[in-house]
Amino acid sequence: MTDQTERFRTEAGPEGVARPQAGRRARTDGGPRPLPAPRPLGGVRRWPRTFAHRLTTPLPGVRALARLAREGLLRPSGQDLHTIADLPFAPGPQPLPGPGEVALTWVGHASWVIRIGGLTVLADPVWSRRIFGTPARVTPVGVRWEDLPHIDAVVISHNHYDHLDAPTLKRLPRDTALLVPAGLAPWCRRRGFTHVTELDWWEAVELPAPDGGVVRFDFVPAHHWSKRGLTDTCRSLWGGWVLTAPPAADDTPGHRLYFAGDTGYGHWFTEIGDRYPGIDLALLPIGAYEPRWMLRPVHLDPEEAVRALGDLRARRMAPMHWATFLLSAEPPMEPLRRARAAWAATGRPREDLWDLPVGGSRVLGEG
């Protein structure tokens, strides 16, 4: 067990060694905490047998699962399935970002192609048509695998099958850098990957950027859980990622992205916003939320996603985790309608809601 894991039993997060990037310097007058020094890449680490003490709420028991089956709320009703044809799918060419820019393409569900600091990063890549225990995807993959540029790194939020897809990872060269939650490195190494780094919450690593400097990857908490087999509940950690691009030549801070992975609503968003000020874009899940009595602790609904954006003090939001796999009972098009309505109610600029179609792209420009 690491010293940091032990501290989590009594406090919200570890003390970090100050090494903030230029332009993101933390204040000492009650402002954001200094960022921790990045950890070395790779290495074998020891972790506790379980991360169940990190759960925000208890996991559902047998009675809850029986109620779910009894009420038949596992998938949308038959009368709602006709709206699958309305799900947005508009693949296009992937943009090549210029200096100081970050380009993003939504592959579908929680999968993204992120081009930042000269690196190409995949987030929770799932290119499979079908995942274990779930009907086949209802929209095609937004980017053909053969159209991807060279992949420099992959970030994984947790080990659920719709976020950690073994057939997709199998397509990657085994020396691809994998950045994964604590406890998940052995799974990756058993599949031949040689550059695997696992992190605890509030830990970070840096990868050299071809454009100069480094791209920083911070692993942050989420209100979720992990499980892949019958006996491994919460044996590995879960979370999201904050990606920070290198500063510009004039020391202007590089763009900062937050990829939430999979999460319910709760206090972690405020803490993430405190520690990582100036988030330019938050990739937030808006689907797989019904029935609420079951899924509220672990999945945001659209209104909660917009609220979480405010807690993060982020400027822009890109919805995800919908329009791909039918994981729950809400109508297929409802997440987008509700997200747009919740956004409009805040008075935020409409252009700051990046409600992309599957396969769509946007570019964060300089400044």
Side-chain angles (χ1 to χ4, degrees), residues 263-266 269 284-290 292 296 299-312 317 319-320 322 330-331 333-346 348 353:
T263 182
Y265 182 77
F269 294 113
L284 289 167
I286 64 167
Y289 51 79
E290 289 290 351
R292 289 316 278 150
R296 182 184 302 275
H299 284 170
L300 296 171
D301 66 22
E303 293 79 13
E304 289 171 334
V306 174
R307 183 180 175 188
L309 186 82
D311 295 344
L312 292 161
M317 170 178 155
M320 64 175 186
W322 78 286
E330 73 271 5
M333 283 295 296
E334 182 181 275
L336 181 61
R337 291 196 300 268
R338 287 176 54 175
R340 286 174 171 173
W343 186 270
T346 68
R348 289 175 174 266
L353 177 62

Side-chain angles (χ1 to χ4, degrees), residues 339-365:
R340 286 174 171 173
W343 186 270
T346 68
R348 289 175 174 266
R350 179 62 179 82
E351 61 269 21
D352 288 342
L353 177 62
W354 289 14
D355 47 351
L356 299 174
V358 175
S361 302
R362 289 288 292 272
V363 176
L364 276 171

Side-chain angles (χ1 to χ4, degrees), residues 93-112:
Q94 299 171 69
L96 181 64
E101 296 180 337
V102 177
L104 300 99
T105 302
W106 186 34
V107 178
H109 199 54
S111 303
W112 294 85

Side-chain angles (χ1 to χ4, degrees), residues 13-140:
E15 297 176 1
V17 179
R19 190 188 170 188
Q21 288 201 356
R24 303 276 186 186
R25 192 167 302 281
R27 302 192 308 270
T28 57
D29 57 353
R33 304 182 190 186
L35 295 180
R39 290 191 55 84
L41 293 166
V44 176
R45 304 179 65 181
R46 296 179 58 216
W47 303 105
R49 181 172 175 80
T50 178
F51 291 94
H53 58 286
R54 305 282 187 91
L55 290 170
T56 309
T57 57
L59 295 176
V62 175
R63 289 185 178 180
L65 297 176
R67 176 185 172 185
L68 186 68
R70 184 172 63 251
E71 294 179 355
L73 298 177
L74 298 174
R75 299 290 181 267
S77 66
Q79 65 183 6
D80 290 324
L81 293 179
H82 73 279
T83 62
I84 289 176
D86 298 327
L87 293 172
F89 177 74
Q94 299 171 69
L96 181 64
E101 296 180 337
V102 177
L104 300 99
T105 302
W106 186 34
V107 178
H109 199 54
S111 303
W112 294 85
V113 181
I114 304 172
R115 306 182 80 166
I116 180 171
L119 300 178
T120 299
V121 180
L122 297 183
D124 283 4
V126 178
W127 260 253
S128 295
R129 180 175 176 270
R130 185 185 297 273
I131 56 174
F132 178 74
T134 300
R137 61 196 310 144
V138 294
T139 50

Side-chain angles (χ1 to χ4, degrees), residues 3 12 60 100 124 197 228 326 350 367:
D3 291 341
D124 283 4
T197 303
R228 200 167 175 88
L326 300 182
R350 179 62 179 82

